[in-house]
Amino acid sequence: MEFRILGPLTIETSDGPVDLRGPKRRGLCALLVVHAGQAITVDRIVDALWGDDAAGAAGTVQTYVSQLRKQLHADAGGATITTDAGGYRLEVDP
């Protein structure tokens, strides 16, 4: 699995590219990739992606993480998103 962050954010798995529809989903993925191995709180994610217009955003973050987990799980040699310290952590092979 490859995460490409220079230029447009893309994820390539053994099955092909991961569909990262929508700017908030791409933003969530970018936050997780840039901070791989570190826990990012839901509040930090909401602040980064929604700013002051955050009504209901915490639930949306959970939905986006669930969808991204399913997409990443399809690639056996890939990455996992774990729940950690009130937020999420992307675990990737070096």
Side-chain angles (χ1 to χ4, degrees):
M1 178 174 296
E2 292 182 8
F3 295 91
R4 297 180 184 149
I5 59 172
L6 296 176
L9 172 68
T10 59
I11 301 173
E12 290 286 333
T13 70
S14 58
D15 294 330
V18 172
D19 184 10
L20 297 170
R21 292 184 193 168
K24 298 251 189 312
R25 285 188 179 113
R26 285 191 304 275
L28 170 63
C29 187
L31 279 171
L32 292 171
V33 169
V34 168
H35 298 285
Q38 303 171 16
I40 303 175
T41 65
V42 172
D43 288 343
R44 185 171 172 196
I45 294 168
V46 168
D47 186 50
L49 300 180
W50 280 268
D52 293 334
D53 189 25
T60 304
V61 169
Q62 288 179 321
T63 300
Y64 289 171
V65 167
S66 176
Q67 293 167 348
L68 189 54
R69 280 178 171 154
K70 288 176 187 171
Q71 289 176 299
L72 297 180
H73 183 67
D75 192 66
T80 57
I81 300 172
T82 59
T83 303
D84 189 351
Y88 301 100
R89 175 191 314 260
L90 177 66
E91 299 291 342
V92 294
D93 291 335

